[in-house]
Amino acid sequence: LEKKVTSELFGYDYFSNDISFVDNMPPPSDFRLGPGDEIIISMWGDITSRGTYTLNNEGSIFYDTVGFINISGMTVPQAKDIIISKLSQIYSTLLNGTAATQLDVELGKVVSMNIYFSGEVINPGLHLIHPFADIFVALISAGGVADSGSLRNIEIVRNNKVIETIDLYSFFIDGKSNFSKLKLVDGDIIHVPVVKKRIKIKGSILKPKKYELLTNEFLEDLINFSGGLTPNASSLIVLDRIIPLNDRLSDDNATTSMNIDYKNSSEIVLENGDTIDIKPIGFVESKVRVYGKVKNPGEYSATNSSLKDILDYAGGFNDPEYNKSINNEITVLRLDENEFNAKEY
């Protein structure tokens, strides 16, 4: 599948950058140790030592003079408590009141996970993924989602069962990373199905793009995804639709359209391939123009003003000296409401 980075499709540009910092990712607080992971044990004070230990297949490390210490499935703080308890049997200053010997446990190298990717991803198949990676980071590691793939129905398959369906729009639009709560485990499958419904919105909208909608979402949801209306938007919405192949009588009459009132947007069900055009408001003249011998000729708002107010704003008749040079005959040109041409009154 070919990845096409384009601004027309919402959300796919999030996968356009490669991750080069994954090894510096801090471990999550609930990360649990397993076979192949490394820990670093440091002691200082009465005793000074530092060593790296790798968990064996049973999840244990071997410490000289103590033997095997099983820390499989433990967080690093839990492992630290167990190690202090075991080593205090030979280093009494670890637990005495003066705490003459200090001990710390750090996480070293960790084992990558085998994660399978299927469906509409750029590089499907098996990938080694950093164990701290969430679903979004894992998808980037596999090249991202193809333009044909859904961003809102990504399936996590474990033991042949879909355990979670991920909607990335909550992250892209609202910044809520609910997907990070689900921890991937070795052998998981991330499946990206084909997008089912994609709608284009243009016109007087803040983010005109193509968006993916779920079956229970309406025109109102699409407008919210696109950031809302611009200040010059009107209440008129024009919908252009391609009639589905099974519903059309012939290809000669394959398209239709309709006008929609914005107030009814919460009730309009959209179909795959629809185009929504938010029309701008028409031109409304709310100003008058003052010409001739006034101090400040130009345009003034007529919304809440009388003729005298406008002339006062223009500054011509409030100056006795300037008034001497003005002919007091005033001509008002107005568009007739019925004939739409200028007449003198």
Side-chain angles (χ1 to χ4, degrees):
L1 295 172
E2 182 182 357
K3 176 64 177 178
K4 298 178 181 178
V5 178
T6 170
S7 61
E8 186 180 31
L9 302 179
F10 174 76
Y12 295 86
D13 290 349
Y14 282 83
F15 302 100
S16 61
N17 295 322
D18 294 330
I19 292 181
S20 58
F21 56 85
V22 69
D23 289 334
N24 296 323
M25 294 174 63
S29 58
D30 57 351
F31 175 76
R32 298 187 178 275
L33 298 165
D37 292 336
E38 287 184 353
I39 61 168
I40 303 170
I41 301 176
S42 303
M43 287 193 295
W44 64 95
D46 286 350
I47 302 163
T48 302
S49 68
R50 182 177 175 87
T52 301
Y53 303 85
T54 302
L55 278 68
N56 63 17
N57 291 336
E58 285 73 39
S60 298
I61 62 169
F62 183 81
Y63 195 94
D64 290 339
T65 70
V66 174
F68 287 100
I69 305 175
N70 192 305
I71 52 175
S72 179
M74 296 182 185
T75 64
V76 173
Q78 290 171 342
K80 177 180 177 180
D81 292 339
I82 293 295
I83 292 170
I84 289 176
S85 176
K86 295 290 185 180
L87 297 191
S88 65
Q89 298 174 12
I90 56 173
Y91 304 120
S92 59
T93 54
L94 276 172
L95 288 179
N96 65 17
T98 60
T101 301
Q102 302 290 325
L103 182 146
D104 192 26
V105 176
E106 306 169 56
L107 187 63
K109 295 180 179 178
V110 290
V111 177
S112 297
M113 298 181 293
N114 292 299
I115 303 297
Y116 297 86
F117 294 83
S118 63
E120 307 305 300
V121 291
I122 302 302
N123 298 309
L126 178 64
H127 290 267
L128 287 175
I129 303 299
H130 196 283
F132 302 160
D134 54 31
I135 295 160
F136 181 65
V137 173
L139 284 168
I140 294 179
S141 301
V145 178
D147 289 354
S148 55
S150 171
L151 298 178
R152 311 199 59 195
N153 285 298
I154 300 172
E155 297 175 344
I156 310 303
V157 182
R158 185 175 298 167
N159 298 325
N160 295 321
K161 294 182 179 179
V162 178
I163 64 167
E164 191 74 38
T165 300
I166 305 300
D167 182 356
L168 290 178
Y169 267 29
S170 60
F171 172 55
F172 294 157
I173 295 174
D174 300 321
K176 298 177 181 178
S177 57
N178 296 331
F179 54 82
S180 62
K181 297 178 181 179
L182 177 65
K183 303 301 178 184
L184 296 172
V185 300
D186 193 72
D188 277 353
I189 299 172
I190 298 179
H191 177 70
V192 180
V194 173
V195 61
K196 298 294 185 183
K197 183 190 291 188
R198 183 179 282 155
I199 314 297
K200 181 178 182 179
I201 186 168
K202 63 180 183 177
S204 298
I205 200 78
L206 289 176
K207 296 187 295 183
K209 289 180 181 288
K210 290 183 178 180
Y211 294 86
E212 180 181 355
L213 292 190
L214 302 179
T215 55
N216 60 342
E217 292 176 334
F218 300 87
L219 173 56
E220 182 181 37
D221 299 291
L222 176 65
I223 294 173
N224 291 334
F225 290 155
S226 56
L229 307 178
T230 61
N232 71 330
S234 72
S235 60
L236 174 61
I237 301 173
V238 177
L239 183 153
D240 293 320
R241 173 168 294 169
I242 300 174
I243 301 173
L245 184 60
N246 294 333
D247 297 336
R248 69 181 76 148
L249 297 177
S250 71
D251 290 345
D252 294 332
N253 190 24
T255 62
T256 185
S257 63
M258 66 180 74
N259 296 322
I260 301 170
D261 191 315
Y262 174 74
K263 292 182 291 185
N264 301 324
S265 60
S266 62
E267 305 170 2
I268 303 300
V269 179
L270 300 175
E271 301 293 340
N272 185 38
D274 284 353
T275 296
I276 295 296
D277 188 3
I278 309 293
K279 294 298 183 180
I281 55 176
F283 176 74
V284 177
E285 182 61 83
S286 62
K287 294 181 179 179
V288 296
R289 187 170 298 169
V290 180
Y291 296 94
K293 277 189 164 296
V294 291
K295 271 191 171 182
N296 301 305
E299 292 186 344
Y300 296 87
S301 174
T303 302
N304 58 348
S305 302
S306 65
L307 175 58
K308 182 180 183 305
D309 294 331
I310 298 298
L311 294 174
D312 287 342
Y313 295 150
F317 299 135
N318 288 332
D319 187 329
E321 294 300 321
Y322 192 69
N323 192 36
K324 295 177 182 178
S325 63
I326 296 177
N327 185 339
N328 288 328
E329 293 184 5
I330 301 172
T331 300
V332 178
L333 298 179
R334 176 180 296 165
L335 291 178
D336 184 83
E337 293 181 357
N338 297 317
E339 298 183 12
F340 295 99
N341 52 23
K343 290 184 178 181
E344 292 188 3
Y345 288 79

